[in-house]
Amino acid sequence: MTAVSPVVKPVSQMRLAPGSTVNVNDISWEEFESILQELGEKRSLRVAYSKSTLEIMVPLPEHKKSKDLILDIVKILLKIAGKSYEPFGSTTFKRENIAGVEPDACFYIQNYQSNDRSSQTGTK
């Protein structure tokens, strides 16, 4: 019987076509954090983590058009409602050891004016 060694390559070396999705099972939280660090902040792909499964998705070029349209609609609705907000681009939201998701964009709305906003958003 021949022993089989696992192939180990950095995730950043994966080349996925736009519209592709890859799911990897049995990923620990520590591995997820390591993958996020390896990929860095400036990237076109999106990752999600839930129940030890990592999903890597590369949006299609048309995705940006839809995203921009939805962002514009949200901003108009917030303006009509008289709500103050702070827009954020893509960011990673994590619930340690449980899940991590990356929206294309998000808004800080509910406690926009609170003094402790910097500690909640990770900015100073």
Side-chain angles (χ1 to χ4, degrees), residues 33-105:
E33 290 279 13
S34 178
I35 289 167
L36 287 177
Q37 187 173 16
E38 176 195 336
L39 293 172
E41 295 288 323
K42 305 285 184 190
R43 56 188 151 81
S44 59
L45 59 85
R46 297 282 177 258
V47 297
Y49 177 84
S50 179
K51 299 178 184 169
S52 300
T53 298
L54 174 70
E55 179 181 78
I56 302 170
M57 189 265 295
V58 181
L60 291 167
E62 304 86 54
H63 183 85
K64 183 172 174 11
K65 291 179 188 175
S66 299
K67 177 193 82 161
D68 289 344
L69 177 62
I70 292 168
L71 284 173
D72 290 343
I73 291 169
V74 170
K75 288 176 186 178
I76 290 168
L77 292 172
L78 288 168
K79 185 175 183 174
I80 290 169
K83 297 272 188 182
S84 295
Y85 64 91
E86 186 170 352
F88 289 96
S90 178
T91 189
T92 305
F93 291 101
K94 301 176 203 172
R95 180 162 282 164
E96 192 169 344
N97 294 314
I98 298 173
V101 295
E102 295 183 337
D104 294 319

Side-chain angles (χ1 to χ4, degrees), residues 23-38:
N23 288 306
V24 184
N25 297 319
D26 299 321
I27 298 292
S28 70
W29 182 260
E30 291 75 21
E31 290 171 315
F32 171 63
E33 290 279 13
S34 178
I35 289 167
L36 287 177
Q37 187 173 16
E38 176 195 336

